[in-house]
Structure formats: structure tokens, C-alpha cells
Amino acid sequence: MTRKLAKRWLGFVQEHAAIYDDDIVPGSMILAIGDAPQSHVNLSHPEEVFYEYLARIANHLTVLRPENRPLKMLHLGAGALTLARWASVIYPSSTHVAVDIERELLDFVLTHLPLPQGCELSPMVADARSVLAEQLSDEKFDVIVLDIFSGPEAPEHLTTSGYYAELKNSLTNDGLLFVNIGDDPPLDFTCSQVEAARTNFETVMLSSSPEMFTKRFPGNLILTASTQAFHKDQILHCQAAGPFPSEVRHAMDLDGFCKP
């Protein structure tokens, strides 16, 4: 039987957050907001990422940054801090800043889902755009993960070309941006984000399961962007890294996907 560990009212979204045992993976917990599961954490093995879209980001990062050196990471949309936990094992001594507009959520997660030993994280309650120009204006990050989009309902000021320009400005010269995009057919919102990213970044690729590229199903896609060009073998390795089935589109293949 599923056991709820804790519950907290979230004033910004006007929903309850709950943390409860995962019945599938022993030692794991799920964070839900309202009735919707949002994040999955394996407290015993933080290097294991269960949710497909987060595993896709993790796998891309290990392909594009194979060196075992510490990273400076910014998480816009904190959730249960799954990728910060993962990186504390895969990229030891990395530092993390986690930003969420929901004040109660960060405290709730950090209280009931303690971070792994050695995970250096600074939580911040702020808007995901204003924080770049204000509290973090002098900071540069190796990796930014934007995980707040839920399709066209996403806050408009976080979906524009201007915002992608600010994200680019907050990255190091070889920094990487990962955006989790949840969308519904015909994925017009996804294509608008691809266009906004392409206006600012040298390389943009989109990855998901092959069925998502038919534009007939709702789901999540991962947008990866960089001011540096990716080698062809890096893109192929990102696709091969999974989770499976996996498809990556960039350049002309991405043109064809987003063409009306």
C-alpha cells in the first residue's frame, strides 16, 4: 500500500504537494502536486533517474560533458531536485542553484527528501526570468535546466526569444541549456520554443521518443541548445544513450518537423 510521507499546501499554485513511497522502485519517493506526479527520487541511489524526460537530460549531459569535472548548474523549476542529486554522484563537487517561485515547495522537498551527502545546493525563491537579471546577474553557469513548461499555459515571459537571450547570457561560452517541454498535438508550442532558441543559439536539437515526432500524441520533448556546434557523433551518441526508443532531430531534420 502506498504510504504518504507528508503533505503541504502550496500558496502560489493553490494545490497540495504530497510526497509518498513509490511502489515500483524500492527506496524511492514521488513528489506530486495536486493529483499529478511531478518528480521521482531514489534516495538510496540518486544516480538512477527514473522519469524518462529527466533521464534523457542526464544522458545527453553525460554525452556532451564526458569529463568528470565539477559543473556549476542552475535549475529553473526545482521539483524534487532529481538532477541535482544525480549530478552530485556523476559530477562530484558540482554546485547547484535551484530556483522556484513556489516558496513552500523548496522547504517541503528539502525537509522531507534530504539531499545526498556532498550535494552543494543553494535554494532560491524567485521568478525564473527576473532571477537572471537580478539575484544572478553576475553568475555564469555550465548547465541550465529549465523545467517549468506545461505547454501553452506556460508564463508568456518565459517563452520568448528575449528570455532565451537572457538564458544564453547566463551560460559560460561552452554552456548547455536543457528545456523540458510538455506539449499536446500538434506541438505548436514546441516549435515556437525551437524558433526562440534558434534565434539565440548556434546549435539546437530536440529529442524524445519517435512517436512524439508524429505530432499525434501528448508528451515531453527535450530541447538542448548551445552556442557551440555539436559534432555529428555527439548527436548520434545522444540518440543512442536513450531512454529507448529515442530520436534526436537537429538542423534540416528539425526544420522539417517544425515546418507548418
Side-chain angles (χ1 to χ4, degrees):
M1 180 180 295
T2 299
R3 177 179 64 90
K4 285 195 176 181
L5 174 65
K7 200 171 186 180
R8 177 80 60 87
W9 177 254
L10 304 180
F12 186 81
V13 296
Q14 294 290 291
E15 295 269 16
H16 274 103
I19 293 173
Y20 54 88
D21 290 331
D22 177 18
D23 292 333
I24 299 175
V25 183
S28 295
M29 310 297 294
I30 293 173
L31 167 70
I33 297 178
D35 295 324
Q38 298 289 328
S39 300
H40 183 280
V41 170
N42 189 330
L43 294 175
S44 302
H45 297 281
E47 73 280 7
E48 297 180 2
V49 181
F50 187 72
Y51 280 3
E52 181 178 299
Y53 81 91
L54 289 173
R56 208 172 294 282
I57 294 174
N59 291 347
H60 286 4
L61 183 52
T62 54
V63 168
L64 299 171
R65 290 291 178 273
E67 310 89 356
N68 186 15
R69 63 176 177 87
L71 298 172
K72 186 176 179 180
M73 298 182 65
L74 173 62
H75 307 264
L76 297 170
L81 305 169
T82 304
L83 288 179
R85 300 168 192 274
W86 168 84
S88 72
V89 177
I90 306 303
Y91 298 95
S93 301
S94 294
T95 58
H96 304 270
V97 176
V99 178
D100 205 286
I101 201 169
E102 187 65 70
R103 180 176 300 276
E104 294 88 353
L105 182 60
L106 281 166
D107 176 68
F108 181 58
V109 167
L110 291 170
T111 298
H112 296 285
L113 298 173
L115 295 173
Q117 186 174 2
C119 184
E120 185 179 337
L121 183 137
S122 301
M124 299 181 66
V125 177
D127 173 76
R129 183 165 187 173
S130 64
V131 72
L132 300 179
E134 297 172 6
Q135 296 99 313
L136 301 176
S137 59
D138 296 326
E139 302 283 347
K140 297 286 185 182
F141 296 90
D142 300 306
V143 178
I144 297 178
V145 179
L146 180 62
D147 188 8
I148 53 179
F149 287 166
S150 56
E153 302 85 20
E156 185 177 356
H157 69 295
L158 304 180
T159 66
T160 65
S161 175
Y163 184 45
Y164 280 85
E166 294 180 28
L167 291 165
K168 174 185 173 182
N169 189 57
S170 295
L171 286 166
T172 56
N173 289 337
D174 62 347
L176 295 167
L177 171 67
F178 296 101
V179 184
N180 172 38
I181 305 174
D183 204 2
D184 297 312
L187 305 188
D188 290 340
F189 177 70
T190 299
C191 289
S192 75
Q193 297 312 288
V194 169
E195 180 60 29
R198 279 180 151 182
T199 302
N200 296 282
F201 289 89
E202 170 73 18
T203 302
V204 175
M205 67 182 190
L206 198 63
S207 54
S208 190
S209 58
E211 68 178 14
M212 288 301 298
F213 290 97
T214 67
K215 298 186 178 182
R216 292 184 291 142
F217 302 95
N220 293 77
L221 304 96
I222 299 302
L223 184 153
T224 305
S226 174
T227 59
Q228 306 293 314
F230 295 161
H231 298 300
K232 183 178 180 180
D233 61 342
Q234 288 179 303
I235 295 170
L236 291 174
H237 288 158
C238 281
Q239 179 165 301
F244 302 106
S246 177
E247 183 171 344
V248 174
R249 296 209 182 185
H250 75 296
M252 290 188 293
D253 288 338
L254 194 50
D255 291 340
F257 172 72
C258 285
K259 190 178 298 182

